[in-house]
Amino acid sequence: MTATVTDTPEIISINPATLEELGRFPAASVAEVETAVARAREAQPAWGALSYRNRARYILKARQELYNRQDEIIDIISSETGKPPFEALSTEVFPIADLMSYFAAKTERLLRDERFLLSVFRNKRSQISYEPLGVVGIISPWNFPFAIPTGEVVMALMAGNSVVLKPSERSPLVGDRVKRLFAAAGFPEGVFEVVQGDGATGAALVESAVDKIFFTGSVRTGKRIAESAAKRLLPVVLELGGKDPMIVCEDALFERTVKGAVWGAFANCGQVCASVERLYVVEPVAEKFISAVVEEVKRLRLGPPSGCETDIGPLANEHQLNIVCDHVADAVASGARVLTGGRKREDLGGYFFEPTVLVDVNDSMKVMNEETFGPVLPIMVVKDEEEAIREANNTRYGLLASVWTASNERGRRIARRIEAGTVIINDAVYTHGAAQTPWFGVKESGLGVTHGQAGLLEFVRMKHVNWDLLPMKSNWWWFPYSERWYSRFKTLMKVLYRWGLKKIA
Ligand code: NAD
């Protein structure tokens, strides 16, 4: 049984390690989505009128609630997604506690008004300020069902918006826990609404009277949302998939790079938008590197997520398991060699697949050009840095990449040539967990930004106000036009742009 039931009004949560049902939720109808948006609309003006400090108080109450209930929340995340409790803590709960602290403390400064004099129009002054958008609709995936919507919810709320969240139909229990977390923190009625449901509920939210959609999910759904939103010029942020390359140079720090490759490829069972999905290692170190990676992968402990005895749990759902089986079979049929793993593990009872390393891969294989989103690391040996960069850019995606070298200078030089939103030197994936750093994709990996100041700016509308320092009777470019002012205008052109008295306008 899968967790998605599009033809019934219920969505069902399944434990992917045991296939037991964890709970079910009625899917919100179009009318229920509209009602939630209307409630959020009504609540927003009072919420938006609060000072940043007062909004921060609510967020910090939510952080306190998260702290107090962390074990229960970790347990729900782990049982609904199959990820080890360690990862539920390290990649979901801890980063959100940090993000709440960061935006509670910094939003006021990051969104403060700016005033400046205009360079030519000396008598004029401008002010840029930021206002809430109104109601923000957030649609989220199942792979980080706690961290992904909650980070965006916090930024949207701190910026003064109310929020309607549609969590993934594959992780409704966590979605419901997010709702209860904010309710327990005492947020005013209507400021944060959650509607459960599948793609139809998400589509209804996009069609509703929201002021912006913040979507995280697949490229396919992102494009559908963009099409629907374009009809009424509804702004959207799209945080989409990736096929993230890792480049290993010959001077890479050996042990760190081996361990980094394995964590980057297999954390969260490889179900990370920024997982290491393709690895390019240069010839001189390839043989030694590949055999060390294989040894490290063989040491990973696959099993039901409990305590700290498991490194890798099951895939989060059957749909994902089927994609992984398909990609590995396609690669093997086209000549790839499996160095370790490569099999489904039905004997373990859930959606388990062995951590897998593939070599002799090529660009025609699905595992090298489509998002696998599973515990599979395909490794390609390349002649040199140039070939690695060419291969890394040979994709329609551009979310994240990593470069591994002993020289940060060399790493930055390679990073400049990589087509990705983020390039990390000597680390993988992790900057999504840093509230201060922007997270975004280029090419088909998305539009817009989350996290950092640039991410916060997605949740506000810029307002520009301009005024005179000393009001005059008239401006020289107003009516009536005259020869006298025409010639003065020309003189100004000459002074500024020919004689160069003003080099920077
Ligand atoms: P998905 O696109 O299938 O679903 C994402 C969300 O969209 C779900 O809540 C779903 O119900 C909803 N949805 C589906 N159809 C819709 C429609 N027509 N209109 C509105 N909403 C609709 O993605 P998924 O399988 O849940 O998530 C995995 C994908 O998310 C991967 O591609 C992964 O790379 C990507 N992802 C990206 C980031 C990032 O930051 N760039 C982070 C996490 C996941």
Side-chain angles (χ1 to χ4, degrees):
M1 181 162 50
T2 69
T4 314
V5 180
T6 46
D7 51 356
T8 78
E10 271 192 334
I11 51 171
I12 303 169
S13 171
I14 303 285
N15 180 329
T18 61
L19 308 192
E20 281 161 2
E21 182 178 324
L22 294 171
R24 44 181 78 202
F25 294 82
S29 64
V30 173
E32 284 164 333
V33 170
E34 285 169 357
T35 304
V37 173
R39 274 198 300 268
R41 172 76 57 207
E42 204 181 321
Q44 191 276 326
W47 176 253
L50 291 180
S51 64
Y52 287 112
R53 189 164 295 202
N54 279 333
R55 292 204 287 266
R57 284 204 180 105
Y58 283 97
I59 297 296
L60 293 177
K61 273 194 218 153
R63 188 189 67 182
Q64 187 61 46
E65 183 63 19
L66 174 60
Y67 181 81
N68 294 342
R69 308 278 172 192
Q70 55 182 295
D71 291 335
E72 178 214 334
I73 293 172
I74 288 168
D75 193 44
I76 293 176
I77 297 171
S78 185
S79 45
E80 194 171 49
T81 62
K83 68 181 74 184
F86 190 97
E87 286 177 1
L89 173 62
S90 65
T91 68
E92 303 235 44
V93 169
F94 183 88
I96 286 304
D98 179 56
L99 183 144
M100 287 171 159
S101 314
Y102 179 73
F103 285 104
K106 303 284 187 200
T107 300
E108 182 165 12
R109 193 175 62 73
L110 295 173
L111 296 182
R112 75 181 156 206
D113 294 354
E114 269 171 71
R115 282 189 182 181
F116 51 93
L117 281 173
L118 273 59
S119 61
V120 178
F121 306 96
R122 281 295 180 189
N123 189 31
K124 298 284 193 184
R125 196 158 213 210
S126 273
Q127 175 178 288
I128 304 289
S129 56
Y130 300 99
E131 297 173 353
L133 297 166
V135 182
V136 176
I138 297 177
I139 301 174
S140 55
W142 48 264
N143 64 330
F144 290 95
F146 184 76
I148 296 230
T150 309
E152 283 70 40
V153 169
V154 168
M155 286 187 284
L157 292 174
M158 271 311 299
N161 304 283
S162 54
V163 172
V164 180
L165 165 67
K166 207 295 286 172
S168 171
E169 63 275 33
R170 298 182 200 276
S171 52
L173 222 55
V174 179
D176 184 61
R177 193 61 191 84
V178 174
K179 174 180 165 181
R180 291 190 285 117
L181 175 75
F182 284 87
F187 276 74
E189 191 105 334
V191 163
F192 177 50
E193 295 278 330
V194 175
V195 288
Q196 296 277 8
D198 60 12
T201 309
L205 187 57
V206 178
E207 296 286 322
S208 75
V210 291
D211 297 290
K212 186 160 187 167
I213 285 288
F214 197 108
F215 170 76
T216 309
S218 64
V219 172
R220 194 168 42 95
T221 310
K223 286 181 178 174
R224 289 174 75 176
I225 288 176
E227 269 176 40
S228 164
K231 287 189 210 129
R232 59 190 173 103
L233 293 184
L234 177 70
V236 288
V237 170
L238 304 174
E239 301 288 343
L240 309 179
K243 189 73 196 166
D244 301 351
M246 167 168 178
I247 293 180
V248 180
C249 301
E250 67 277 6
D251 65 345
L253 303 167
F254 191 77
E255 199 182 332
R256 180 174 178 82
T257 308
V258 169
K259 284 180 176 297
V262 174
W263 183 77
F266 297 103
N268 207 28
C269 200
Q271 302 163 115
V272 185
C273 54
S275 277
V276 173
E277 284 250 335
R278 302 173 285 148
L279 191 150
Y280 301 100
V281 55
V282 295
E283 220 161 14
V285 292
E287 202 182 321
K288 185 171 166 216
F289 176 78
I290 292 169
S291 70
V293 164
V294 169
E295 285 317 303
E296 190 74 18
V297 172
K298 282 182 179 161
R299 278 197 282 274
L300 294 174
R301 298 161 301 170
L302 177 71
S306 68
C308 287
E309 283 102 54
T310 304
D311 300 312
I312 302 196
L315 275 306
N317 53 69
E318 191 178 17
H319 174 70
Q320 209 45 55
L321 175 65
N322 291 339
I323 294 175
V324 171
C325 293
D326 175 46
H327 282 202
V328 172
D330 171 78
V332 170
S334 303
R337 268 188 306 132
V338 177
L339 295 188
T340 181
R343 288 177 308 145
K344 231 184 340 187
R345 288 291 300 272
E346 271 151 322
D347 57 309
L348 293 176
Y351 302 132
F352 291 92
F353 196 94
E354 291 171 343
T356 299
V357 177
L358 298 174
V359 289
D360 297 343
V361 289
N362 64 53
D363 294 339
S364 72
M365 296 171 182
K366 289 181 187 174
V367 79
M368 291 301 277
N369 59 49
E370 291 177 20
E371 196 178 26
T372 306
F373 222 55
V376 181
L377 176 60
I379 303 181
M380 186 186 272
V381 180
V382 291
K383 193 160 74 59
D384 54 19
E385 182 181 310
E386 281 306 310
E387 190 184 350
I389 295 170
R390 227 176 19 251
E391 287 291 345
N393 288 338
N394 182 20
T395 170
R396 63 193 176 110
Y397 295 101
L399 185 58
L400 192 130
S402 63
V403 180
W404 300 72
T405 163
S407 154
N408 282 331
E409 197 280 325
R410 180 182 194 179
R412 286 193 295 270
R413 181 164 45 76
I414 295 175
R416 270 197 290 276
R417 297 177 58 198
I418 303 271
E419 295 159 2
T422 297
V423 182
I424 308 184
I425 300 167
N426 294 329
D427 214 322
V429 183
Y430 92 98
T431 60
H432 192 275
Q436 271 170 283
T437 56
W439 184 266
F440 60 103
V442 300
K443 295 157 84 174
E444 290 199 18
S445 287
L447 291 177
V449 185
T450 187
H451 298 175
Q453 184 175 29
L456 190 62
L457 289 173
E458 296 284 3
F459 293 101
V460 288
R461 190 174 286 127
M462 183 160 60
K463 169 72 59 70
H464 174 208
V465 180
N466 178 271
W467 63 92
D468 284 332
L469 286 177
L470 286 174
M472 309 279 200
K473 267 202 265 174
S474 171
N475 279 333
W476 41 269
W477 60 89
W478 288 4
F479 298 131
Y481 299 148
S482 68
E483 282 299 333
R484 194 171 65 131
W485 276 106
Y486 187 77
S487 104
R488 284 184 180 175
F489 222 146
K490 297 274 285 187
T491 307
L492 186 62
M493 281 287 285
K494 193 182 280 177
V495 170
L496 292 179
Y497 308 119
R498 180 169 172 200
W499 296 343
L501 294 188
K502 187 159 180 53
K503 289 229 159 47
I504 301 165

